[in-house]
Amino acid sequence: MGVEAESRPRVGILVGSQSDLPKMEKAADVLRTFGVPYELLVLSAHRLPDRVAEYAKQAEERGLQVLIAGAGMANHLAGILAAHGLLPVIGLPLSGSALHGVDALYSTVQMPSGVPVATVAIDGAANAAYLAVEILALADGQLKERLKKHRASERAKLEITVKQPG
Ligand code: RP5
């Protein structure tokens, strides 16, 4: 269903380390499927805090509409982006630590009132992108149609599976 993507990125994907990049691939795949242009950066909230704050402050004027932030361990990347900007931030806790991502889940989801982060499952990169597409589709009729068709085709696959048990 790949669609010719526009040029200017609409979704900013950030990860906390190079080591996180493989876990974020499914998010990029989903956005490409829907023809949603994105940018992908490695920016650590703890190792490049000023750069993360600057990115968040400039994101909306650069044309970005949704941010996806993936990190493991003490994942503060999503929270810092949410704190410095007004764009919706989708937090993606990543596994790989001694605590298998539960540390990242708790440090992503437990945001204080007034500074929300929409948090998806540990390593749920695909859903982070689907949620971003759903948000963009609220004001983009063509994208909404693509989403409807995609959802219908996915359900059709499941129905075929149900009809051919064993
Ligand atoms: C987090 O610490 C990163 O997002 C990564 O998941 C984890 C380990 O980072 P590296 O030591 O691999 O750079 O901030």
Side-chain angles (χ1 to χ4, degrees):
M1 183 195 288
V3 176
E4 187 61 38
E6 309 102 27
S7 56
R8 196 167 157 181
R10 299 175 69 184
V11 178
I13 304 176
L14 292 86
V15 292
S17 171
Q18 291 268 5
S19 63
D20 298 324
L21 286 172
K23 294 190 182 83
M24 193 57 86
E25 282 179 12
K26 285 185 180 175
D29 292 344
V30 168
L31 294 178
R32 280 195 294 270
T33 297
F34 287 96
V36 173
Y38 65 90
E39 60 184 19
L40 175 53
L41 296 88
V42 179
L43 279 183
S44 168
H46 301 122
R47 296 172 273 204
L48 290 169
D50 295 341
R51 182 71 185 86
V52 171
E54 177 192 341
Y55 183 91
K57 290 172 185 171
Q58 296 174 354
E60 189 166 4
E61 70 190 33
R62 292 184 50 237
L64 294 168
Q65 296 171 290
V66 182
L67 302 180
I68 296 174
M73 299 177 78
N75 172 6
H76 296 145
L77 181 57
I80 294 296
L81 290 168
H84 285 287
L86 291 176
L87 291 179
V89 177
I90 300 167
L92 172 60
L94 297 178
S95 63
S97 73
L99 300 180
H100 310 294
V102 176
D103 44 356
L105 173 62
Y106 289 167
S107 55
T108 306
V109 70
Q110 291 298 110
M111 289 295 292
S113 177
V115 190
V117 167
T119 306
V120 294
I122 296 171
D123 293 342
N127 267 358
Y130 281 118
L131 180 54
V133 170
E134 289 176 354
I135 292 169
L136 296 180
L138 289 169
D140 183 331
Q142 290 183 349
L143 186 56
K144 177 70 73 92
E145 282 309 306
R146 287 178 221 153
L147 197 53
K148 285 179 183 175
K149 288 176 182 169
H150 179 79
R151 184 70 63 86
S153 68
E154 291 301 298
R155 284 181 176 157
K157 291 175 194 171
L158 288 172
E159 286 163 15
I160 290 171
T161 303
V162 169
K163 289 174 186 167
Q164 297 170 348

